[in-house]
Amino acid sequence: MSTTAKKPRLTTSAMIASIASEGQRVKAAPFGKALVELAQQRADIVGLTADLAKYTDLHLFAQAYPERFFQMGMAEQLLMASAGGMAKEGFIPFATTYAVFGTRRAFDFVHQVIAEENLNVKMCCALPGLTTGYGPSHQATEDIALMRGIPGMTIIDPCDALDTEQAVPQIAAHAGPVYMRLLRGNVPLVLDEYDYTFELGKAKMLRDGKDVLVISSGILTMRALEVAKALESDSVDVGVLHVPTIKPLDTATILAEASRSGRLVVVAENHTAVGGLGEAVATALLTAGVTPPFYQIALPDAFLDAGALPTLHDRYGISTEAMVTAIKGWLG
Amino acid sequence: MNIPSEIGSHTKLAEHAYRIRRYALQMGEVQGQGYVGQALGYADVLAVAYCHAMSYKPSDPEWEGRDRFLLSHGHYAIAFYAALLEAGVIPEDELETYGSDDSRLPMSGMATYTPGMEMSGGSLGQGLPIAVGIALGLRLKGNPAFVYNSMSDGELDEGSTWEAAMGAAHHGLSNLICLVDINNQQADGPSTKVMGFEPLADKWAAFGWHVQRVNGNDLPAVIAAFDTARNLQEARPRVILFDTLMGKGVPFLEAREKNHFIRVDPHEWQQAIEILDQARGAV
């Protein structure tokens, strides 16, 4: 059958889909710009990628500092090991690829070459969690679980452009390996509306609330703030504790906030429910004997579908609407 | 400080190789085990590396000007410690701690344990990609040192080896020298049966490398190969493929049924050392 009738445009399952909602304020390439700025001050910054400079915003660094940029081809084992080699020579390598390849593909090289010797490599990996509609090949839903298992690994899950650009100099200044989930392209700008600065290792209260405490990281902090606004009209008071550093976890702040009585605690993360922030917080709470009503918003322990991001975020419970519904249900 | 010597005295180097073999057997006796077959087979290459080719300061293993030597095949630690003992990086009395609790000489090489150990090997196929990063780093710093990656033929099975082979050639790393010990033994049998790698020289050449293949137990040939690799005026990485004989220098071990891990009975360690000593006397 053939037809000339124009079909309605369908939602996209493209690999690169912006996580910004329509009309949202954004900043372009916050990681790449911050790295260029840092490299002006620090001659020891080098950049490496595995055929994904353009798609990790590292092309800006490559253009500004071609002599300090190293293309490793589509070879992630080489990427991580050679970054380790450059760190041994005193450089601070920023190695970029997609999160699936940086963690799953290159895991033993991250573990043995970089982490076991506590080398100063900063792995900045794009498409974290469910931020692409391309299906499991590109959806890094377990990257944090993998990285959390590595001793000495620092793990950063930024919320937005502000978090990202402020994290870059701080992870460079930190001695040791860092895995940072990378938001690239037009990245939402959210946290400038709050009295907030990124501090490595610190969880920060973005807004207080007496009914619900959402403990979140990454783009689910952005969602949590939207949820909090949405629930204001239902007279539900939602506090949001943003935890951009997943490891080491700011247990003191988490315990202090979760100990306040009368609040549901909801941990929200753009990651499988297995081995991420939710389990880390649960362990911290139980170990300290703090036992508020506890719920988890996370991706299911499953291989996720391909599709458009809004569809998938609804399907798997991490859209603002789905989160509002879930929290209302838990409040009864 | 050891500086490269252009006048290769293979008589002098034969003495170094003998001592490396002897240290390895002494360490093997401490634990009653160890990859001593590989150590005996590779001793000539290590002697030339540490007593002829490389620049380093025994008292300052992290000296910035040193040539870097990566032991990718971490299970060759016993051979490598023997070379470090011979080079004066590790004191001789430490030999008896080999493989013991809290020793700086664990049975598989680890960078954080041992002076002069540049990487934690053992997860095979990692040395060459690390060497690529070190070579890039040295070049960026304007440091003229070489980086040597020492690996086993089994590591030719690892995809990362070939990722790095492509990367090194792409970046024109003339300061990178890869040493491959070809003894044709892997955990499950002869390398040629586990996963055939021939024609090996052609493979490296096709990947853009300068290639030499020599008898790794022929000292003059080994010396010449190192000298050629170091002095070559070409903007590409260099590999030397060494065909070696496991157990070399101790005929009853040379003749023993070959496998990855040569069995040595308790009474045989001293016997092997005596044979080595007698052969040296004959020279």
Side-chain angles (χ1 to χ4, degrees):
Chain A
M1 189 184 86
S2 70
T3 172
T4 52
K6 195 171 179 187
K7 290 180 179 172
R9 186 174 167 80
L10 302 174
T11 55
T12 179
S13 64
M15 188 196 306
I16 306 294
S18 177
I19 52 163
S21 48
E22 210 165 311
Q24 189 172 24
R25 285 184 309 130
V26 295
K27 244 184 161 176
F31 166 74
K33 288 176 183 167
L35 192 62
V36 168
E37 193 176 318
L38 182 66
Q40 284 164 5
Q41 298 150 29
R42 298 192 64 153
D44 53 1
I45 302 286
V46 294
L48 300 88
T49 192
D51 192 25
L52 284 172
K54 263 192 290 187
Y55 298 99
T56 57
D57 290 341
L58 194 67
H59 64 298
L60 298 176
F61 177 86
Q63 287 158 10
Y65 297 98
E67 73 289 350
R68 287 199 254 161
F69 169 76
F70 301 96
Q71 176 58 264
M72 287 299 143
M74 203 191 296
E76 291 80 11
Q77 300 178 114
L78 173 62
L79 171 73
M80 293 305 179
S82 62
M86 294 204 82
K88 283 172 176 287
E89 291 303 325
F91 294 98
I92 301 180
F94 277 72
T96 74
T97 178
Y98 286 159
V100 283
F101 310 132
T103 60
R104 302 197 310 232
R105 186 77 169 222
F107 190 73
D108 189 41
F109 293 73
V110 173
H111 188 283
Q112 276 305 111
V113 177
I114 295 171
E116 197 266 340
E117 291 188 42
N118 197 39
L119 296 180
N120 222 357
V121 178
K122 317 304 168 186
M123 294 159 276
C124 300
C125 297
L127 303 185
L130 180 53
T131 53
T132 168
Y134 240 43
S137 66
H138 284 63
Q139 291 161 345
T141 54
E142 69 287 83
D143 59 335
I144 288 173
L146 285 164
M147 288 298 184
R148 275 186 72 220
I150 300 179
M153 183 64 67
T154 292
I155 302 172
I156 310 293
D157 188 16
C159 163
D160 72 343
L162 183 141
D163 238 359
T164 303
E165 65 193 13
Q166 293 189 355
V168 167
Q170 291 189 42
I171 64 174
H174 170 81
V178 176
Y179 173 73
M180 183 167 87
R181 287 180 136 193
L182 179 59
L183 305 173
R184 51 80 53 195
N186 286 327
V187 178
L189 181 60
V190 175
L191 294 177
D192 62 333
E193 291 181 4
Y194 298 82
D195 181 21
Y196 173 84
T197 51
F198 173 86
E199 272 184 85
L200 196 147
K202 296 286 184 208
K204 299 272 179 91
M205 280 303 287
L206 298 177
R207 56 173 284 161
D208 208 355
K210 62 179 173 24
D211 302 316
V212 177
L213 172 67
V214 178
I215 301 174
S216 58
S217 68
I219 60 169
L220 282 211
T221 290
M222 175 176 86
R223 293 278 154 80
L225 292 167
E226 290 163 2
V227 166
K229 281 179 188 163
L231 284 173
E232 281 170 3
S233 57
D234 294 294
S235 299
V236 176
D237 200 9
V238 177
V240 177
L241 177 63
H242 177 42
V243 187
T245 308
I246 308 285
K247 187 180 179 183
L249 195 64
D250 183 358
T251 309
T253 302
I254 290 169
L255 288 177
E257 290 298 333
S259 299
R260 282 172 50 189
S261 58
R263 297 201 288 193
L264 290 186
V265 169
V266 177
V267 181
E269 58 185 319
N270 173 28
H271 183 270
T272 165
V274 178
L277 181 65
E279 287 191 357
V281 169
T283 302
L285 297 184
L286 277 176
T287 304
V290 175
T291 54
F294 181 91
Y295 298 94
Q296 214 179 344
I297 291 173
L299 298 168
D301 178 20
F303 294 101
L304 306 186
D305 295 339
L309 278 183
T311 312
L312 298 179
H313 282 198
D314 267 338
R315 185 171 300 165
Y316 296 117
I318 63 168
S319 67
T320 306
E321 295 71 23
M323 289 168 69
V324 164
T325 304
I327 290 170
K328 277 185 175 174
W330 293 326
L331 284 165
Chain B
M1 175 177 161
N2 190 75
I3 53 165
S5 119
E6 296 307 326
I7 311 155
S9 158
H10 67 265
T11 318
K12 187 192 83 177
L13 287 167
E15 176 72 10
H16 289 302
Y18 151 75
R19 292 167 60 86
I20 289 172
R21 288 191 167 91
R22 200 174 195 284
Y23 283 138
L25 286 169
Q26 287 176 279
M27 278 183 277
E29 189 174 20
V30 169
Q31 287 295 333
Q33 59 172 306
Y35 285 86
V36 73
Q38 285 86 339
L40 293 169
Y42 204 47
D44 298 308
V45 174
L46 289 169
V48 175
Y50 271 86
C51 305
H52 171 72
M54 285 168 56
S55 296
Y56 60 93
K57 290 180 179 173
S59 59
D60 184 8
E62 293 177 24
W63 173 50
E64 176 66 8
R66 75 193 185 281
D67 289 328
R68 281 69 167 154
F69 188 99
L70 299 174
L71 190 76
S72 185
H73 38 176
H75 57 294
Y76 276 48
I78 191 169
F80 188 64
Y81 300 149
L84 292 179
L85 284 159
E86 183 62 8
V89 177
I90 296 173
E92 194 169 339
D93 59 7
E94 209 163 321
L95 176 155
E96 62 194 26
T97 71
Y98 169 70
S100 307
D101 291 351
D102 303 321
S103 171
R104 296 198 299 174
L105 311 180
M107 292 185 76
S108 183
M110 281 186 271
T112 49
Y113 281 56
T114 316
M117 183 68 83
E118 300 269 7
M119 67 171 281
S120 297
S123 180
L124 299 173
Q126 295 191 332
L128 195 57
I130 295 172
V132 168
I134 291 177
L136 286 168
L138 289 170
R139 191 165 75 182
L140 189 56
K141 287 192 284 189
N143 183 328
F146 282 103
V147 53
Y148 292 88
N149 176 64
S150 179
M151 60 183 277
S152 59
D153 52 0
E155 295 184 79
L156 297 166
D157 298 358
E158 296 282 3
S160 55
T161 294
W162 300 103
E163 288 186 12
M166 285 179 79
H170 175 78
H171 289 284
L173 297 177
S174 53
N175 55 351
L176 171 53
I177 300 175
C178 184
L179 315 171
V180 187
D181 182 20
I182 303 170
N183 58 27
N184 198 31
Q185 295 300 325
Q186 291 181 232
D188 270 347
S191 298
T192 41
K193 291 201 172 155
V194 173
M195 187 175 282
F197 50 66
E198 300 290 2
L200 191 55
D202 292 348
K203 278 197 176 72
W204 286 93
F207 274 73
W209 287 58
H210 175 270
V211 188
Q212 301 175 79
R213 185 164 189 165
V214 301
N215 178 348
N217 297 122
D218 175 354
L219 272 174
V222 174
I223 294 166
F226 268 89
D227 289 350
T228 299
R230 281 170 38 232
N231 296 320
L232 191 72
Q233 298 297 316
E234 288 179 24
R236 52 181 175 147
R238 302 96 210 270
V239 62
I240 312 174
L241 309 171
F242 295 108
D243 290 293
T244 64
L245 178 63
M246 281 178 78
K248 177 71 182 177
V250 180
F252 76 83
L253 293 179
E254 289 176 15
R256 185 148 292 171
E257 187 193 359
K258 287 288 182 292
N259 60 43
H260 183 56
F261 204 84
I262 284 188
R263 180 182 51 78
V264 181
D265 291 332
H267 69 279
E268 291 180 326
W269 294 101
Q270 274 308 319
Q271 206 179 324
I273 289 171
E274 282 163 23
I275 289 169
L276 213 56
D277 290 347
Q278 284 161 14
R280 177 211 188 194
V283 172

